[in-house]
Amino acid sequence: MPTRILLEGRPGAGKTTAVRRLAALLPTDVVTGFTTQEIRQSGARVGFALETLAGRREVLAHVDLPGPPRVGKYGVDLGVMERLALPSLQPAGTEEATGRLVLIDELGRMELACTAFRHAVDALFVAEVDVVATVHTHRDPFTDALKRRADIEVVQLTPANRDVLPGELAARLQQPPSHG
């Protein structure tokens, strides 16, 4: 059975850092997906960029983007989800990619505003691939439903465990599957 993990943490807990470290610890031909990163100007957060693990990067949300949709003070460019995020998840659905690991940072309000992304995530969580995704602690109908599933493990990410967790997860994900 594939490994399906949601890394749940509060803002600033280090979810993106943990996912990037996990990706760096794994062979590049095994892992696919994307991370998000704050965009700062003069010390203030003004938006978020989405970057695939293959190195493609675009602005996902910014105070200067009109939207819709808008999440808080940010306009969200759903085209970025379609151009970058969705293709970074696609290889996992193909037969030759069985056994791949898909990393998603994150299942947040900006990303989930894209209906096609929600459908792709639903498909991933029933595919024969390992998935590690980050989620906020706040309530959301989509992520709450995932957290309740018996086949998904929710791991709390905190500043206390964020440095050791990537190594522990990498070791676990590289173990051969048990046939118990």
Side-chain angles (χ1 to χ4, degrees), residues 6-8 15-16 19 104-108 132-136:
L6 293 178
L7 291 178
E8 182 181 55
K15 296 182 297 292
T16 298
V19 167
I104 303 171
D105 174 46
E106 73 186 280
L107 299 176
V132 176
T134 65
V135 293
H136 272 290

Side-chain angles (χ1 to χ4, degrees), residues 9 69 71 74 132 175:
V71 174
Y74 307 104
V132 176
Q175 289 177 352

Side-chain angles (χ1 to χ4, degrees), residues 62-96:
H62 199 278
V63 293
D64 294 337
L65 287 175
R70 290 195 69 79
V71 174
K73 62 183 177 181
Y74 307 104
V76 180
D77 181 351
L78 294 181
V80 171
M81 295 302 296
E82 293 170 7
R83 287 189 303 275
L84 297 187
L86 290 176
S88 78
L89 307 181
Q90 292 309 102
T94 61
E95 280 187 32
E96 64 270 12

Side-chain angles (χ1 to χ4, degrees), residues 98-167:
T98 300
R100 288 183 76 101
L101 168 64
V102 179
L103 296 179
I104 303 171
D105 174 46
E106 73 186 280
L107 299 176
R109 291 190 328 219
M110 292 177 196
E111 297 83 0
L112 294 174
C114 178
T115 302
F117 176 68
R118 288 196 311 270
H119 292 312
V121 169
D122 280 335
L124 273 177
F125 276 101
V126 297
E128 289 297 312
V129 297
D130 295 331
V131 180
V132 176
T134 65
V135 293
H136 272 290
T137 53
H138 68 77
R139 300 193 58 78
D140 176 88
F142 186 86
T143 56
D144 289 351
L146 287 175
K147 291 174 190 178
R148 286 192 297 270
R149 286 180 39 172
D151 63 335
I152 295 177
E153 177 184 355
V154 178
V155 175
Q156 297 299 317
L157 183 85
T158 66
N161 71 0
R162 71 178 168 207
D163 292 331
V164 297
L165 197 56

Side-chain angles (χ1 to χ4, degrees), residues 1 175-179:
M1 180 176 194
Q175 289 177 352
S178 61
H179 300 285

